[in-house]
Amino acid sequence: MKRLLVSLLSICILLVASAFTQVATSKASPAENPASAQPLSAPQLCARCIRAHEEFLASDALQGRGSATHDELLAATYVAAQLRQYGIEPAGDDGTFLQRVQTVGAKITSPPTLTVTSADASSAQAAPTTWTYGKEFLVSYLKQTAFSGPLQKIVAGSTSSKIKPGAVVLVTGSNGDGKGKDNLKQAAFAAASGGAVAALVLSSHPTTQHFEEAGKKMPETPARLSGEARGLGGDFNVLSLNAEALRVLEATPEGATVRFEALSTEEKGFTWNAVGILRGRDPVLRKSAVLLSAHLDHLGIGTPVKGDDIYNGADDDASGTAATLELARVLGKGARPRRTVIFALFGSEELGG
């Protein structure tokens, strides 16, 4: 993997270098010193530097670099220190490399509930049925702390089912070749992003042990930037059910009201970018810029996989951050490119930012 990253980065650097220079037959800018019109020397990669960056950024010490967390700030601060070492100028807030943006989110304070109420008051199922997070259902994705809508049922892969705007869609279907659960989840996300207020689907891990373990951590909603109405994440709700909850909903007539509720408090925080600039040497071309970027955050702490709850994010995107830092090193140590180069490592990409 490291060899592949170095090879790809070598190609990237050569392409970037070609964008900053002219071939010998090109005409130099009238405003440029003739001596500076010579092609830049080929940059030399430092494989150990790349490995060092990635090993640190993807280490357990940074706890997965969760979006808008203190661990994201640590990653941004590390990037800032490297950019300064490479001779890159700060382009963040108040003469620093860091840009800080306030976020506003909802912190869920107790297990949410899901209540199903029949549309027919005279039916045997007229009494509301209430389920609890971590017992009968889990959250795959949540954009808001309360929603409700009429129940609609669709079969995954069916072309005859049209999503009703505002409906809570129950997605069912056969497991087929063993990939059915993944297909069901994909269909649920498609329904939720296609006009439904939410989608419900059988969990791919419907065991009691899995639900209890996952239910220890309260679900999270996407933060939004201060002053913005929309959150940083996707615009949909997807819940996963255990087998009993699925059975009950399959027997419930369409039109029943499905309501999700979660008690929450407003929580303010910050997300960070690390930004540096290498100003071009050509008085004219320096007014145009090449942006080299990656995102420095990842998923942080999540549901344990084989006992490990840290989502290290080596390839997403510690590798991209390491590549951008190496580009900053090789471009910062030699003759300046003709055009300005901006190095931007963004926070909260995993939240949609």
Side-chain angles (χ1 to χ4, degrees), residues 73-349:
L73 172 58
L74 288 177
T77 303
Y78 174 81
V79 168
Q82 301 308 306
L83 291 176
R84 185 178 296 281
Q85 177 181 325
Y86 300 152
I88 308 301
E89 297 178 43
D93 298 334
D94 302 322
T96 72
F97 289 91
L98 299 183
Q99 290 180 333
R100 188 180 76 163
V101 181
Q102 187 172 67
T103 60
V104 180
K107 181 179 181 180
I108 295 177
T109 56
S110 61
T113 59
L114 190 67
T115 302
V116 182
T117 305
S118 174
D120 183 1
S122 62
S123 72
Q125 296 175 319
T129 298
T130 300
W131 295 319
T132 303
Y133 171 80
K135 295 181 178 180
E136 292 86 7
F137 76 94
L138 294 172
V139 169
S140 296
Y141 199 91
L142 192 65
K143 72 170 181 178
Q144 57 201 127
T145 57
F147 61 81
S148 66
L151 177 65
Q152 179 187 1
K153 303 177 187 179
I154 67 169
V155 177
S158 173
T159 58
S160 60
S161 300
K162 184 177 181 180
I163 302 300
K164 298 177 182 177
V168 175
V169 176
L170 175 66
V171 181
T172 59
S174 172
N175 289 339
D177 58 1
K179 298 181 180 179
K181 289 185 175 67
D182 291 338
N183 292 338
L184 290 177
K185 184 64 70 69
Q186 291 177 4
F189 274 91
S193 60
V197 70
L200 314 175
V201 67
L202 177 66
S203 171
S204 56
H205 303 283
T207 64
T208 300
Q209 181 180 0
H210 173 76
F211 270 60
E212 290 178 349
E213 185 66 27
K216 293 178 181 178
K217 185 176 185 294
M218 289 296 102
E220 298 177 351
T221 59
R224 57 182 173 83
L225 300 182
S226 181
E228 297 289 334
R230 182 171 176 172
L232 292 174
D235 195 26
F236 40 75
N237 302 295
V238 176
L239 309 183
S240 56
L241 310 172
N242 68 6
E244 177 59 20
L246 176 71
R247 184 191 66 77
V248 170
L249 282 178
E250 285 181 322
T252 301
E254 288 194 325
T257 299
V258 180
R259 180 170 182 79
F260 174 91
E261 292 182 291
L263 296 177
S264 66
T265 58
E266 184 178 82
E267 187 173 56
K268 294 184 178 180
F270 296 95
T271 187
W272 291 268
N273 303 323
V275 189
I277 187 169
L278 182 63
R279 302 188 189 279
R281 73 182 191 276
D282 186 303
V284 175
L285 293 179
R286 71 172 54 171
K287 297 177 182 178
S288 60
V290 175
L291 174 67
L292 301 177
S293 71
H295 68 92
L296 49 79
D297 66 311
H298 193 55
L299 301 176
I301 304 297
T303 302
V305 177
K306 297 181 180 180
D308 186 359
D309 63 353
I310 298 177
Y311 288 61
N312 299 84
D315 290 334
D316 187 14
D317 193 19
S319 60
T321 301
T324 304
L325 286 175
E326 179 63 0
L327 285 166
R329 187 188 68 82
V330 296
L331 293 173
K333 75 173 185 178
R336 285 185 178 245
R338 301 179 66 197
R339 292 171 176 80
T340 293
V341 188
I342 298 172
F343 304 92
L345 290 307
F346 297 111
S348 289
E349 187 275 347

